[in-house]
Amino acid sequence: MALFIILAGLLYFAAFTIAVHLTGLQDSAEPADIIIVLGAGLKEDGRPGPALTRRTRHASTLWHEGVAPLVLCAGGQSEYFPRTEAAACREILLDASLPDAAILLEERSRSTEENAIYSERLLHDLGLSRIVLVSDSYHMLRAGWLFTGRGVKVMASPVPADRIRGGLVYPYSIAREFIAFNWQLFKELFNIPLTHISGI
């Protein structure tokens, strides 16, 4: 019985990994109202970390290609860092020659689920409905699910996996996503009204 459970768990993880990888290969970006960049951790001094940097640069490329006139930086402030992820994202966009008027900030969220909650409210207030969602490829399955669950129609534009540097970063990130994805399933199954746990 124990062996069966272990094998079933391994098969489930393998299926999840394949789903994450395949989802991360699909870029469906089309002309939209706005591009949303999902935040990621900062360095101790408040500078953007590698994940936030590559996501934001990907979004700036889409903006320069005319995919959308606006970019929304989503991400609040952790207790460990001196500013919000959205503010760091804005800095990268300005360095990439985007005008300040083209950049919007969502600075309340502390998780991917809260990214979806607060971004959806802002989109509703602005009357925007067509979005291109930008994040790392390994993150796109869960992020797309959470945004879709808020009634937001998502066109995904993931940062390709081959742009993620560091030999163990990609497999580590998939393992982390596996935990976060199943935690979200558990929360929804038991109707747990918790939208943020540090690091998820």
Side-chain angles (χ1 to χ4, degrees):
M1 184 64 177
L3 180 59
F4 174 78
I5 293 173
I6 292 171
L7 289 175
L10 290 174
L11 285 173
Y12 176 45
F13 179 74
F16 176 83
T17 299
I18 292 169
V20 165
H21 185 72
L22 292 178
T23 301
L25 295 175
Q26 300 171 23
D27 192 319
S28 57
E30 294 180 0
D33 298 322
I34 192 167
I35 300 162
I36 298 180
V37 186
L38 299 186
L42 307 180
K43 297 181 179 180
E44 289 185 2
D45 59 2
R47 289 181 297 149
L52 181 60
T53 299
R54 62 179 172 258
R55 294 176 189 184
T56 308
R57 287 177 177 169
H58 185 72
S60 71
T61 298
L62 294 174
W63 185 88
H64 281 293
E65 291 173 349
V67 170
L70 299 170
V71 178
L72 171 63
C73 294
Q77 182 172 354
S78 163
E79 60 270 27
Y80 306 111
F81 303 115
R83 62 172 174 168
T84 66
E85 295 169 1
C89 168
R90 175 180 175 274
E91 179 182 276
I92 298 170
L93 293 175
L94 291 174
D95 287 344
S97 300
L98 272 71
D100 193 46
I103 304 169
L104 303 177
L105 303 183
E106 180 284 290
E107 298 184 280
R108 297 175 61 188
S109 58
R110 299 159 299 166
S111 66
T112 305
E113 184 174 8
E114 290 186 357
N115 286 159
I117 292 169
Y118 296 127
S119 294
E120 186 275 329
R121 293 177 185 175
L122 191 148
L123 294 171
H124 180 268
D125 291 344
L126 295 175
L128 305 177
S129 59
R130 291 180 59 82
I131 76 162
V132 171
L133 188 64
V134 171
S135 191
D136 284 305
S137 60
Y138 60 76
H139 190 214
M140 197 57 71
L141 177 68
R142 182 166 60 98
W145 171 38
L146 290 168
F147 271 79
T148 301
R150 299 294 304 179
V152 179
K153 182 179 179 182
V154 171
M155 291 182 286
S157 187
V159 178
D162 60 11
R163 287 174 54 187
I164 300 171
R165 305 303 180 195
L168 295 178
V169 173
Y170 187 70
Y172 167 81
S173 298
I174 289 181
R176 181 177 175 278
E177 282 299 304
F178 182 74
I179 294 170
F181 185 90
N182 285 284
W183 166 243
Q184 188 69 34
L185 285 176
F186 180 82
K187 280 194 329 105
E188 295 195 4
L189 180 62
F190 292 99
N191 198 28
I192 300 173
L194 184 66
T195 58
H196 166 253
I197 292 180
S198 182
I200 296 181

